Amino acid sequence: MRVLIVEDEPEMASALIKAFEKEGMLAESVSSLTMAKAALQDDLHSLILLDRQLPDGDGASLVPFIRKINADLPIIFLTGRSSITERIEGLDLGADDYLNKPFAFEELMARIRAIGRRPATVNIPKVTIANLTFDFSHRNVQVDGIPLILPRRQLLVLEALCTRVRRTVMREWLIERVYGFDEDIQSNSLDSHISRLRRSLEISQARVTIHVIRGVGYLLKESYESV
């Protein structure tokens, strides 16, 4: 699960990111409506945690924008605004839940699990390229129908490449998808993960190749095609 935290309190955002990482989840944070809209354009998130009091406006105004991109993306308000009227307003706008600050992380996780148990109205598609299939709904990979287990970073790289299969993926965009906005990474870290992913795909006999587009980014396509 990839979580986007829209929160302008750095300590709160940092604490949530660390807590999610302990749960084996990837989380990233942005601190304004403008930054949130930019982050949401790629539609790779599984959950939005949304504060209402942001520097450039009310977080509730972001809900219609999110719903246009993905009608089923779970949204939970995390906010100090606790009046009944404001909670009803947030839920009526299309949020899935409303949790008042301060809150226990265990309660937040329970609410996330509850949302996950709701029946989905739309199936997230799978992408198949050659003999490799990436299932976005369960975030798993199969090669010739056999599960391919990948370390988390390799899985995130492959997931991002599969969202734009047979198209060039900009290096900067891929870094954001794999590491989030707040992580400091070494210059060769992404290259190392891609190299290991290539090896994992080779060992599994996946007929796909990750090409380097020099000075631009990467391209995932069938290995028997030329670039």
Side-chain angles (χ1 to χ4, degrees):
M1 175 177 282
R2 191 183 188 96
V3 183
L4 178 65
I5 304 165
V6 187
E7 170 62 66
D8 66 332
E9 296 180 20
E11 291 184 1
M12 168 71 76
S14 178
L16 284 171
I17 288 172
K18 291 177 181 178
F20 280 121
E21 286 179 347
K22 288 181 180 179
E23 296 291 328
M25 300 160 67
L26 183 68
E28 56 190 333
S29 70
V30 295
S31 58
S32 69
L33 295 173
T34 301
M35 294 174 67
K37 287 180 179 180
L40 287 163
Q41 291 295 333
D42 295 317
D43 196 19
L44 287 178
H45 300 93
S46 309
L47 171 69
I48 309 297
L49 301 182
L50 181 58
D51 190 11
R52 290 201 60 171
Q53 294 175 291
L54 295 167
D56 51 351
D58 187 345
S61 66
L62 191 64
V63 176
F65 176 85
I66 297 171
R67 289 291 169 245
K68 287 181 181 179
I69 295 174
N70 187 336
D72 299 296
L73 183 62
I75 303 170
I76 300 177
F77 278 116
L78 301 180
T79 177
R81 295 185 177 183
S82 58
S83 73
I84 295 295
T85 300
E86 287 173 320
R87 280 190 285 173
I88 292 172
E89 178 188 22
L91 294 170
D92 283 346
L93 280 169
D96 295 273
D97 207 342
Y98 202 111
L99 188 57
N100 293 327
K101 298 176 181 177
F103 57 87
F105 183 74
E106 291 77 10
E107 181 181 359
L108 174 59
M109 285 302 300
R111 292 176 183 243
I112 292 171
R113 289 192 294 270
I115 290 174
R117 289 193 293 269
R118 298 175 187 172
T121 57
V122 179
N123 290 323
I124 301 174
K126 298 178 181 179
V127 168
T128 297
I129 174 170
N131 61 336
L132 180 144
T133 298
F134 196 106
D135 183 345
F136 291 98
S137 60
H138 297 95
R139 297 190 78 195
N140 60 39
V141 189
Q142 292 188 350
V143 177
D144 287 324
I146 300 171
L148 172 60
I149 307 302
L150 296 171
R152 186 167 69 101
R153 296 293 188 188
Q154 291 185 38
L155 183 66
L156 290 170
V157 171
L158 184 59
E159 178 183 46
L161 292 173
C162 283
T163 63
R164 298 187 176 184
V165 67
R166 304 183 188 91
R167 291 185 289 167
T168 300
V169 174
M170 301 291 288
R171 180 180 176 86
E172 293 77 11
W173 183 89
L174 188 56
I175 288 173
E176 288 181 358
R177 304 283 70 76
V178 174
Y179 296 97
F181 294 96
D182 300 323
E183 293 187 63
D184 293 325
I185 64 167
Q186 297 180 354
S187 59
N188 65 342
S189 181
L190 178 63
D191 299 319
S192 297
H193 289 304
I194 288 177
S195 177
R196 295 188 187 103
L197 175 58
R198 281 200 184 104
R199 180 59 178 161
S200 297
L201 294 172
E202 180 182 343
I203 292 172
S204 69
Q205 298 185 334
R207 297 193 298 273
V208 298
T209 302
I210 303 172
H211 297 279
V212 177
I213 310 301
R214 193 171 300 277
V216 180
Y218 304 89
L219 173 68
L220 177 70
K221 63 189 305 186
E222 293 86 350
S223 59
Y224 50 77
E225 292 185 6
S226 59
V227 180

